[in-house]
Amino acid sequence: MIFDIKLAFRYLSGRKLRTFLTTLSILFGVMIIFGLNGVIPSLQDSFRRGVMFSTGQVDFTVTSLTQGPFYEEALDRLQGVKGIAGYTGSLSKNILLPESLSLKTNEGKRISSLTLIGIDPITYETVRKIDLTEGGSFSGPEGWEAYISEELAKKTGKKVGDTLLLPTVSGEKEVRIVGIYKEPTGMGQEDIYLPLKIVQRMFGLPGQVNLAEMLFAPGIDQEHVKQEILALLGEGFQAGGQEAGSEMKAALEMGQKIFTLFGLIAIMMDGFILFITFRTIAVERRREIGLLRAVGATRGRILRLMLWEGVIQGIIGTLLGMIAGFLFVRLLFLDIRPVTEELIKMEIGDPVFPLESYLLAIFLGVGITILGGILPAIRASRISPLEALRPSTVLPKRGEGGRKGWIGTLLLLLSLLGPLSGNLNLNMLGFFLFMAGLIFVGPVLIKPVTEGYSRVIGLLFAREGQVAKGNLENHPHRASMTAFTLMIGLALLIALGGTVTSLITAMNSYLEKSMGSDYILAPQSLMLGGGNVGADPELTAKLKEIPGVAEVTGLRLSMAKGKETNLQVIGIDPEVYPKVAGLAFTAGDPERAFPLLKSGRNLIINGILASSQQVKVNDELMLSTPEGVKPYRVVGIGMDFLNAKIATAYISQENLARDFHERTDLLLLINKEKGVDGTAVERAIRDGVKDYPAFTLSSTAAYRAELEKQVASMTSFYFLLLFAIAIPSLIGLVNTLAIAVMERIREIGVMRAIGATRRQVKRIILAESLLLTGIGTLFSLVTGVWLGYFFVAATNGMGFKVDYSFPVLGILVGISAGLLFGFIGAIIPSRHAARVNLLNALKYE
Amino acid sequence: MSMVVVKNLTKVYESGSTQVQAVRSINLTIEQGEFVAVMGPSGCGKSTLLHLLGGLDQPTSGNIYIEGIDLSTLSDHKLTELRRRKIGFIFQYFNLIPVLDAVDNTALPLILDGAAPSVAKKKAVDWLEKLGLKERFHNRPDQLSGGEQQRVAIARALAMEPALILADEPTGNLDSKTGDEVIALIRKISVDWGRTVLMVTHDSRMAAYADRIVFLKDGSIVDETKLSGNERNEAEKSELIRERVDRI
């Protein structure tokens, strides 16, 4: 084994350029997959600081299935349970503090969020102890009083007797600090304890809690008691702690899937490039392989020798890729941090790389290298010693190229059935058949395609172009593989570029449709449930009375559970909402759907929910609510901008109050009367909401423009990613051109010997490179358009309605990138070819 | 027991619709310690014969026995083992691994056979010293002259102490002076170190060092002549061989 590794190292250091380029392509793939795997965990980590409780001290915790609030009287059912030493219900929520109410630390930093925990001081003591180091207990169940932690007190300089201004559904309220406690807060979130009734009033949830905690008596069968508790509470409950903002979690999970997909695409491209590289290495070393076999190396030994090269490159590329990935994400965070913090009001920490991301990077980086190399290594090991010792002058058997061409053509024709079927899975199968067909038919197409380009090449390169054309036609297989490498990168660029453009167009159109009002009272976080406190219906009533205001409506939020899916449920006023906003419908009639929300349990769902639950209009959807499982009927499928990416259902505010006990408006949309002075109305509205600093008033046009700007800035990130994925194909092109030069050292030596100048040799290589990129670009246009169509179809399949738009811009970018790559790809190999020593080249074996 | 026994050996190559009989029903016996040269015009099948004897190629029909072992009964793995342990190859173009130095190239068969690196290295060094390459242990092939490279190749061929050495135009890529040095070494392999040597050559001067010459034409043995025990010098032998070749 040591010898094998030593030989592998020698080979790698013997071909420094090729080793560098191949390792670079591995580096890029690992950089993307490792780097992107650090983005979502970091966001999740920042987000996880909203976890309510450290539940380690109690024996058992229970929440509702939907993680939402439930009536505390449900806990009365636990009174007779033997084995429970004590139990308590609490209501807690992470809230964002508007700037005017935020706490400043002694260092001048802003504390912009807190966790408010409403406790029943009597029952809470039976389960947990709050160790007050200063001050005393609450004066009563209804006092506006609070305990803060020692840490918070120290940071902000607050002491017993001081007050805090907190946002509530009925405006900001002052709370007096009556105690300072000593307790670790868990994940860095500031916990503030208040009497339960006060927190219930603050959130507009009278009589409700969202967490039940229990302590068991010693010596009892805990499992048995837990089962008994859950049985008594009923089907709407589950064991476990509280998590904040499931919709944020869902969005992050979707983000994780997208990033993983990008990473896998990059790694797969690597695999293909490595396959081509190893294949060429095997050809280049035929004689040496033959010699090794002649002196007694077994096939297995040859296989291992070649794979060790891959492993070494894989390890080095992976290590460098992880370092590059780390730096890449740090740079990325500099770019996206301000946007993200602005959108969701959440402080984003530094990149976090969990152990799984390291293991995944190593597994994929080294694994794909081995995978890319294994087929060529197996083929190399099967070379008979004699075949390798003699130069092969045997041409492909007559009809072999033709046969492969026919197989390829058949595959291409079969692949058309995919998109014609309209079925997503068949579409995907069709795409793979298309790629396979292209691999077979590629070499056959080289000659006709180079003929097609010959006029252009002839104009640019005269004689050298003819030589280059001949070179490619003499090695159609190699030319085809090289063109393929480039094709994949460019096709992805075209496809993903087109898809991203389609997505942006769709998002902007949702934005247009969703926000038709004159004004918007927007919460701090774009994630409706992301720490926004909201306002009780009194604010809506108050705004309606302002002269000049025509309509006011709010969006209310709760969480539910469908079939294995958590979803958010948005309560709307079915009469007013369509006047001030709207949904982009993909099924059902909006003229009928909205009025139907008023009667019975009907809902409009978005595409993602429809797709995950496999339901359509008129189907029934069973939702787990705090009132138990309720059947709802789907009356339409539509989506709005804010909630397009998360499984969402729209029901009437009445149903939301009845089944979910939720009455708080998190976002308000306001229309003024026609012809009324907007300035005056706006002034009056601002005055009306001055006690609600958690809301920001803006004209919808201005708000929309701001959102469009933020969407655009996020897309620059996607395009950066696309180019990062396309880079390995450039590396592949340079690599194969470089290998092609090395394989033809003797030929180049002969050319120079018979009178070709260095300039002419360079121009031949450049002409070859441009021809190859011309072929690759042509293939990529077809593949890219198809792939883009498939991506859009897949997105629609997931429930996110996107119209397919022909990627004109993507194609132009692809062609430009192809030309650019053609020039860049030829620089190093053409210089190398021009500098070949004549005499050495002629002696070359 | 004879070192090499060949019975009715035939090799046919197919090229498109044409069949080429490179070797036709050859019968040959080579005794232990004998130095045999195979000569003939281009395309007569001499290299094909050598490749068949070395297990590098498969015959169309007939049998080859190396130390009594029928090559046709061996699996690829066993054939590889045979090449590693019983046969040493010397090629016209040396065929050294470019990224390994002289010691590593020489030690290659030993390493492939699982010898401990230190043992392999010691044996390689011993053979290189015997062949006068003491100053060249750590030089790579591109740092060696043609003659030095061929001597490394010879050392590699001898490293496993094989019973049979197969040499395919070993001096074909060398100048005459270097060629003389190399052929003298090959002669030494046979006479002093007791190995059986089969050498393919078109050079009558080189063939003159052999004990026996086998002449091939159109894939068949057409003549044979014994040279050892003869009182004539190398020049005279060479002249004799040339006459025989011309007759063919």
Side-chain angles (χ1 to χ4, degrees), chain A residues 49-53 67-69 90-97 112-119 166-169 189-194 196 199-200 202-205 208-211 242-247 523 525 527-535 555-559 662-666 694-695:
Chain A
R49 288 183 231 129
V51 168
M52 296 296 110
F53 275 103
Q67 298 268 316
S90 56
L91 178 65
S92 56
K93 189 173 171 176
N94 172 235
I95 62 162
L96 296 170
L97 294 175
S112 54
S113 66
L114 298 169
T115 301
L116 302 186
I117 307 168
I119 57 170
L166 298 173
T168 78
V169 296
Q189 195 54 279
E190 302 295 351
D191 291 349
I192 296 188
Y193 293 89
L194 300 98
L196 177 60
V199 174
Q200 287 168 343
M202 286 177 75
F203 296 145
L205 296 167
Q208 297 185 67
V209 294
N210 59 10
L211 181 73
Q242 183 72 9
E243 277 184 27
S246 308
E247 72 275 23
S525 169
M527 293 272 166
L528 283 186
N532 295 313
V533 171
L555 296 185
R556 300 176 183 179
L557 175 76
S558 189
M559 298 301 295
E662 188 59 65
R663 287 170 181 77
T664 306
D665 289 312
L666 292 174
F695 286 98

Side-chain angles (χ1 to χ4, degrees), chain A residues 3 6-7 10-11 14 287-288 291-299 301 305 384-386 389-390 845, chain B residues 13 48 51 56-57 76-77 80 83-84 89 91 93 95 97-101 104 108-109 111-112 156:
Chain A
F3 177 78
K6 180 176 167 184
L7 188 59
R10 295 280 179 87
Y11 272 126
R287 185 172 280 275
E288 281 161 44
L291 177 271
L292 285 167
R293 293 278 286 129
V295 300
T298 60
R299 286 180 184 169
R301 197 70 187 249
L305 278 168
S384 87
L386 186 65
L389 290 172
R390 283 181 178 162
E845 279 296 331
Chain B
Y13 289 110
T48 306
H51 293 151
L56 300 176
D57 198 1
D76 179 78
H77 193 88
T80 307
R83 281 201 301 273
R84 192 161 69 231
F89 289 93
F91 300 100
Y93 291 106
N95 281 340
I97 304 287
V99 296
L100 298 178
D101 61 20
D104 284 337
L108 195 53
I111 297 288
L112 292 173
R156 180 185 63 198

Side-chain angles (χ1 to χ4, degrees), chain A residues 427-460:
Chain A
N427 209 345
M428 187 158 69
L429 176 65
F431 178 73
F432 283 115
L433 286 175
F434 178 78
M435 294 288 275
L438 215 55
I439 290 175
F440 276 99
V441 99
V444 177
L445 289 177
I446 293 297
K447 196 164 160 43
V449 174
T450 52
E451 277 296 333
Y453 280 126
S454 66
R455 199 168 275 219
V456 174
I457 287 293
L459 279 170
L460 293 170

